[in-house]
Amino acid sequence: MARASSGLQYPERFYAAASYVGFDGSTKSLTSKFSNSTALLLYSLYQQASIGPCNVPEPSSWKLVEHSKWASWNQLGNMSSTEAMRLFVKILEEEDPGWYSRASNSVLDPVVDVQMNHNSKVEPVIENANAYPEIKTISTENGSHVGTQDKDVVIEGFGSVGVYDQWVAPPVSGQRPKARYEHGAAVVQDKLYIYGGNHNGRYLNDLHVLDLRSWTWSKIEAEVVESTNSSSITFPCAGHSLIPWENKLLSIAGHTKDPNESIQVKVFDLPNATWTTLKTYGKPPVSRGGQSVTFVGTSLVIFGGEDAKRTLLNDLHILDLETMTWDEIDAVGVPPSPRSDHAAAVHVERYLLIFGGGSHATCYNDLHVLDMQTMEWSRPTQLGEIPTPRAGHAGVTVGENWFIVGGGDNKSGVSETVVLNMATLTWSVVTSVQGRVPVASEGSSLVVSSYDGEDILVSFGGYNGHYNNEVYVLKPSHKSTLQSKLIENPIPYSVSGAHNAANATRDLDSEAGHKGIIKELVMDSVDSIKSKGDVITVLKVEKEDLESSLYKEKLQTLQLKQELSETKTRNSDLCKELQSIRGQLASEQSRCFKLEVEVAELSQKLQTIGTLQKELELLQRQKAASELAALNAKQKQGSGGVWGWLAGAPPPTQKEDDG
């Protein structure tokens, strides 16, 4: 994201700030203007910006001041010199908001010669690893010609807007884009790009840019690079997502008149002003609009939306921009219900937050969190002034704070601008508008840039009964961006288990808020103790010990949670296996009972067969005896018959027979 500044550009602005506070390489010259904690922090950032990461040996613990300075510098880790410069100026502007105006005379002098380390080489601030040289001649100031510098920024008209937490309309010029909503918006190098959208039901494909330094609109005449499907590159679309990536803009998904079967990713090359289609691998998601696309590391996370058949979705896909490969994620837990026109944000490069959105019949105000490491959904408890249900709202993060603007509930637009502290999950209302102001619209866009070291929110377009093309700007106050950090725990537990040093250095507001806590603790203590330097050192050491212990406890907690999750998974698997075994055992018992019944029946049948066999043998013996007796009788009866007559024997007489 681009950062605008006023007056001098980095690193000259950093040199001017260091010269203003009288930095000479030690903290002694700072303590007269700032508290000890602030001076110590400025010292460490100064060392990081001018020398780099701390690589000097740790001093003896009895050298309290030197050890405190070393610990503060060493804590910054591998923070880049450009980030250290920005933090240095940021903290100075928090402590002394009017420093730049009071130092304007000295700032106009060539401050490049204010060298803090002659052996160091400080690179200019370059966003997205690309510089867009834009030489601009600054007009005379106080009668003296300032000269020609790269992007020396003076935002005319906007400097007079000194109020915080109020939406104001800056004085824009140039040819404004056609009024629209559901367009894509992105900031690159202090420029707001607007692409596509919906106007009176007609999809648009024009590309406009607003210079956030001069507040001037211009239209970009883009060229389409020839390809096999170049005709699809410039199709008008709405409900898409516009994501800055390196020196390009990625237009992802969106509703079109003739939709494709799957999501298309269009690439706009900023230096060459050309459109191409990104070649991807794997199975892309089905085409859709109203989805959320969030940049996490080197990947794009796509959730939800509505397809061409008006089917609401709650699927989760990731596009790895290093391998250009799509991957569908089957996360555990209960995901958000199918929805579109919701808002999404990422916290500490790990937690994806989904808020609100709508279905065909209702709008939501629920909050869901996806742990990108474990790929598990959860629905935490929201605190504070929970927003009303809404869809079509826009959101942007500033440090740990997630600002939500606009949206509606199918009845009216939402007038409140709210902010969620993603570390504590606490909502609060930033401001509220009256009447049909464009920021109370559905389908508007919201981006973040900065002015004079302060973050600004920029809203464009939307629909609230009529289509809008106005630009509105809001400066969040320290209360809305930092106070929640001071009230709540320095290292909150609501979403993330632990904040590592890399995330802390990347997050400017988190770093500033965290250091602000240390500063308040020190200020409360030094009022009653004379030796302020010793107190700062002791508190610093205690803080480091506590942070180390807390970090270890959090690691142990995470490990225990992981073990508990694994144990629950194993327990669930064992329960399922036990139920399966019980079912098998019951089945076997039933089968055994049936077999026992059959065996008993067969035994009874065998006994019956044995008895019958014995009776049969007895009858057979009786029959054989009967047949033998009959045969003998016949033989006796016929022994003197025909054969006797043939032999000449006389037949037996009656007497012989009687005898």
Side-chain angles (χ1 to χ4, degrees):
M1 180 183 63
R3 296 280 182 179
S5 61
S6 177
L8 294 173
Q9 187 197 2
Y10 292 96
E12 286 79 9
R13 188 174 184 82
F14 167 69
Y15 295 147
S19 177
Y20 170 76
V21 300
F23 214 103
D24 58 359
S26 68
T27 58
K28 293 180 180 179
S29 60
L30 301 178
T31 54
S32 60
K33 294 183 180 180
F34 306 102
S35 65
N36 288 343
S37 61
T38 302
L40 190 64
L41 180 56
L42 290 174
Y43 166 82
S44 60
L45 291 172
Y46 165 86
Q47 294 293 99
Q48 190 81 7
S50 59
I51 298 177
C54 179
N55 56 6
V56 299
E58 181 178 1
S60 301
S61 58
W62 58 271
K63 295 182 179 180
L64 297 179
V65 176
E66 294 301 322
H67 189 275
S68 176
K69 291 163 62 177
W70 178 89
S72 179
W73 182 13
N74 186 64
Q75 188 179 8
L76 299 180
N78 294 323
M79 179 189 292
S80 66
S81 61
T82 55
E83 183 69 11
M85 289 181 184
R86 292 199 312 113
L87 276 171
F88 187 97
V89 176
K90 176 78 172 179
I91 293 172
L92 174 59
E93 288 172 346
E94 289 179 358
E95 297 292 328
D96 190 356
W99 77 270
Y100 185 75
S101 60
R102 286 192 293 272
S104 59
N105 293 332
S106 61
V107 169
L108 292 176
D109 295 333
V111 295
V112 179
D113 294 334
V114 183
Q115 296 293 333
M116 292 175 286
N117 188 299
H118 296 285
N119 297 324
S120 64
K121 180 180 179 181
V122 181
E123 300 293 336
V125 177
I126 299 177
E127 298 287 344
N128 298 324
N130 290 277
Y132 296 86
E134 184 170 344
I135 308 300
K136 180 177 179 180
T137 302
I138 307 302
S139 59
T140 58
E141 184 175 347
N142 297 327
S144 302
H145 184 68
V146 178
T148 301
Q149 302 177 9
D150 286 349
K151 296 197 306 179
D152 198 356
V153 181
V154 176
I155 304 180
E156 297 181 358
F158 188 67
S160 61
V161 183
V163 296
Y164 289 90
D165 297 333
Q166 296 294 330
W167 288 103
V168 295
V172 298
S173 59
Q175 182 180 359
R176 296 191 181 189
K178 180 178 294 185
R180 67 193 66 201
Y181 81 123
E182 293 184 340
H183 50 278
V187 169
V188 179
Q189 294 292 319
D190 303 328
K191 290 180 173 61
L192 169 63
Y193 292 88
I194 300 295
Y195 173 65
N198 188 327
H199 177 82
N200 289 331
R202 185 168 66 89
Y203 297 147
L204 307 173
N205 67 340
D206 50 346
L207 179 63
H208 298 261
V209 59
L210 174 65
D211 191 320
L212 297 177
R213 303 160 304 168
S214 61
W215 299 101
T216 303
W217 281 107
S218 58
K219 184 177 181 181
I220 299 177
E221 299 297 336
E223 177 184 354
V224 176
V225 176
E226 293 296 333
S227 62
T228 55
N229 60 344
S230 61
S231 60
S232 64
I233 293 178
T234 57
F235 268 0
C237 61
H240 53 289
S241 301
L242 196 64
I243 305 295
W245 176 53
E246 296 179 348
N247 60 344
K248 304 175 180 66
L249 296 175
L250 301 180
S251 177
I252 304 165
H255 295 300
T256 60
K257 183 178 180 181
D258 298 312
N260 295 297
E261 293 183 0
S262 58
I263 280 182
Q264 300 292 310
V265 181
K266 308 171 188 177
V267 182
F268 182 74
D269 187 278
L270 290 170
N272 299 319
T274 55
W275 282 107
T276 56
T277 298
L278 186 67
K279 183 178 181 181
T280 60
Y281 303 92
K283 184 180 179 181
V286 65
S287 63
R288 66 192 67 196
Q291 71 293 323
S292 63
V293 179
T294 311
F295 219 141
V296 182
T298 59
S299 300
L300 296 177
V301 182
I302 291 90
F303 173 79
E306 183 182 42
D307 66 14
K309 298 179 181 179
R310 297 199 68 211
T311 301
L312 293 170
L313 307 168
N314 67 342
D315 51 347
L316 186 68
H317 299 263
I318 291 181
L319 175 61
D320 190 326
L321 293 177
E322 292 184 341
T323 62
M324 297 301 171
T325 303
W326 286 102
D327 188 16
E328 183 173 5
I329 305 300
D330 186 14
V332 299
V334 180
S337 59
R339 65 189 63 196
S340 66
D341 298 327
H342 51 278
V346 63
H347 179 50
V348 295
E349 293 295 314
R350 174 173 175 176
Y351 299 94
L352 178 70
L353 285 74
I354 303 292
F355 171 73
S359 65
H360 298 312
T362 187
C363 295
Y364 306 107
N365 65 342
D366 50 354
L367 179 67
H368 297 262
V369 177
L370 174 68
D371 189 328
M372 297 293 293
Q373 290 187 6
T374 62
M375 287 300 171
E376 181 176 3
W377 285 106
S378 63
R379 186 175 177 180
T381 301
Q382 304 179 66
L383 304 175
E385 303 175 70
I386 301 176
T388 57
R390 66 194 64 195
H393 46 287
V396 70
T397 59
V398 179
E400 293 185 350
N401 296 277
W402 187 15
F403 292 87
I404 301 293
V405 176
D409 58 359
N410 296 326
K411 297 179 181 178
S412 61
V414 178
S415 60
E416 296 88 8
T417 298
V418 296
V419 60
L420 173 70
N421 185 296
M422 294 184 289
T424 63
L425 297 182
T426 303
W427 288 99
S428 58
V429 176
V430 178
T431 186
S432 181
V433 296
Q434 303 294 329
R436 297 174 62 178
V437 180
V439 292
S441 300
E442 297 184 33
S444 62
S445 61
L446 184 68
V447 297
V448 62
S449 186
S450 71
Y451 165 74
D452 198 15
E454 294 182 289
D455 295 303
I456 58 171
L457 309 183
V458 183
S459 173
F460 171 78
Y463 178 80
N464 60 353
H466 66 275
Y467 297 91
N468 301 301
N469 63 349
E470 287 84 4
V471 177
Y472 281 82
V473 177
L474 180 142
K475 287 184 180 181
S477 68
H478 297 308
K479 175 181 178 181
S480 61
T481 58
L482 294 176
Q483 183 173 349
S484 57
K485 300 180 194 294
L486 304 178
I487 297 175
E488 304 294 337
N489 268 335
I491 305 178
Y493 295 90
S494 299
V495 176
S496 57
H499 289 272
N500 54 45
N503 287 331
T505 56
R506 282 197 301 267
D507 191 330
L508 184 146
D509 288 323
S510 177
E511 180 74 18
H514 189 61
K515 300 301 180 182
I517 299 168
I518 304 172
K519 181 180 66 178
E520 286 194 0
L521 293 175
V522 174
M523 289 293 291
D524 292 338
S525 301
V526 298
D527 290 338
S528 59
I529 302 177
K530 297 180 180 179
S531 182
K532 296 182 179 180
D534 294 342
V535 172
I536 294 294
T537 303
V538 172
L539 290 178
K540 198 72 174 180
V541 173
E542 291 180 355
K543 168 184 167 292
E544 292 173 358
D545 293 339
L546 290 174
E547 286 181 341
S548 178
S549 300
L550 184 59
Y551 181 72
K552 292 178 182 179
E553 290 294 330
K554 288 183 177 181
L555 284 180
Q556 186 176 2
T557 301
L558 290 174
Q559 292 174 355
L560 291 175
K561 287 183 178 179
Q562 182 67 25
E563 292 175 0
L564 179 61
S565 177
E566 293 175 355
T567 303
K568 288 182 178 179
T569 302
R570 288 197 299 269
N571 184 47
S572 177
D573 294 338
L574 289 174
C575 288
K576 293 179 181 178
E577 186 176 355
L578 179 60
Q579 291 177 355
S580 176
I581 292 175
R582 285 177 176 174
Q584 295 177 4
L585 181 60
S587 177
E588 290 295 329
Q589 288 176 342
S590 176
R591 193 160 65 90
C592 288
F593 177 78
K594 291 180 180 179
L595 289 175
E596 289 176 355
V597 172
E598 291 176 359
V599 169
E601 292 176 353
L602 290 174
S603 298
Q604 187 176 2
K605 289 180 180 180
L606 286 174
Q607 292 177 358
T608 303
I609 290 173
T611 303
L612 292 175
Q613 188 174 3
K614 291 179 180 179
E615 292 178 356
L616 179 60
E617 291 176 353
L618 179 61
L619 290 175
Q620 286 178 345
R621 287 195 298 269
Q622 292 176 354
K623 179 181 178 182
S626 298
E627 289 178 348
L628 182 59
L631 180 61
N632 292 335
K634 288 182 180 179
Q635 289 178 352
K636 290 179 180 181
Q637 183 178 0
S639 60
V642 178
W643 298 104
W645 179 76
L646 291 175
T653 61
Q654 183 68 30
K655 183 177 179 180
E656 292 177 332
D657 295 336
D658 295 337

